[in-house]
């Protein structure tokens, strides 16, 4: 089927299969490789993107569902001050190891800080509870999100 939607600020027209996940459409059809394929069951959060501004696991969204909607990945937030602060904090605070979870983690953290610029540690834990990280033990990720919040306030 033919599909039209907004991807990272650009109007996209593409072909998609009825049963194709948004994850596969982004990675295979549109070459957006930041969106990672992990469990494909909505459990790991590696495929998290924003759909109309809200975080969703793109493996559980069928491509036809994004017709006329707005999809955002980390590529579309490169210059956004909230994402810049998060990216710098993740890098400087040691919140990235293998990096597989990082784009999804950044998207969930971005949605949190955009809506709640001064989150508590519990708020951060809740925001990233759907994102699994096998490397960091989460402590440095949580610290990085809180650090990004402080950087934005400064
Ligand atoms: S790949 Fe989508 S939640 Fe794991
Ligand atoms: S940094 Fe490796 S899974 Fe999170």
């Amino acid at each position: 089927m033919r599909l039209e939607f907004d991807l990272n600020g650009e109007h996209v027209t593409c072909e998609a299969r009825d049963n194709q996940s948004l994850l596969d459409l982004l990675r295979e059809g549109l070459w957006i490789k930041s969106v990672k394929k992990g469990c494909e069951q909505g459990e790991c959060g590696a495929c998290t993107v924003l759909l109309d501004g809200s975080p969703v696991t793109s493996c559980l969204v069928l491509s036809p569902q994004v017709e006329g909607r707005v999809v955002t990945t980390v590529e579309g937030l490169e210059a956004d001050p909230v994402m810049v602060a998060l990216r710098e904090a993740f890098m400087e605070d040691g919140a990235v190891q293998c990096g597989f979870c990082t784009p999804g983690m950044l998207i969930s953290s971005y949605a949190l800080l955009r809506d709640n610029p001064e989150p508590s540690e519990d708020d951060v834990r809740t925001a990233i509870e759907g994102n699994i990280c096998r490397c960091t033990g989460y402590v440095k990720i949580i610290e990085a999100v809180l650090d990004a919040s402080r950087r934005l306030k400064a």
Side-chain angles (χ1 to χ4, degrees):
M1 67 175 292
R2 193 176 175 83
L3 203 56
E4 293 189 39
F5 64 103
D6 182 295
L7 174 62
N8 293 333
E10 291 187 12
H11 187 76
V12 169
T13 304
C14 61
E15 290 295 324
R17 300 185 302 278
D18 285 354
N19 63 352
Q20 187 175 29
S21 70
L22 175 60
L23 168 63
D24 284 342
L25 177 68
L26 290 171
R27 285 186 59 84
E28 295 161 16
L30 297 167
W31 214 243
I32 301 286
K33 298 293 188 180
S34 71
V35 184
K36 300 293 185 242
K37 185 183 278 200
C39 65
E40 293 185 86
Q41 294 179 353
E43 300 290 343
C44 75
C47 65
T48 305
V49 302
L50 298 177
L51 181 57
D52 294 337
S54 298
V56 295
T57 45
S58 60
C59 65
L60 296 187
V61 176
L62 287 174
S63 295
Q65 291 178 275
V66 306
E67 172 68 26
R69 299 175 74 183
V70 177
V71 177
T72 310
T73 68
V74 290
E75 287 87 347
L77 297 167
E78 247 176 37
D80 186 292
V82 174
M83 186 56 83
V84 170
L86 279 166
R87 212 168 48 224
E88 290 176 357
F90 268 59
M91 293 300 293
E92 291 171 25
D93 298 343
V96 181
Q97 288 190 29
C98 80
F100 192 80
C101 72
T102 307
M105 208 56 97
L106 286 170
I107 289 288
S108 296
S109 304
Y110 171 86
L112 170 69
L113 293 187
R114 180 199 57 200
D115 298 340
N116 177 7
E118 294 183 46
S120 66
E121 184 175 324
D122 278 351
D123 293 333
V124 178
R125 288 183 185 277
T126 300
I128 63 167
E129 66 187 2
N131 297 84
I132 292 175
C133 177
R134 296 182 186 280
C135 306
T136 65
Y138 300 99
V139 172
K140 291 188 173 178
I141 291 174
I142 293 164
E143 283 175 4
V145 178
L146 294 171
D147 183 18
S149 162
R150 288 191 293 273
R151 289 170 189 240
L152 286 162
K153 197 176 169 193

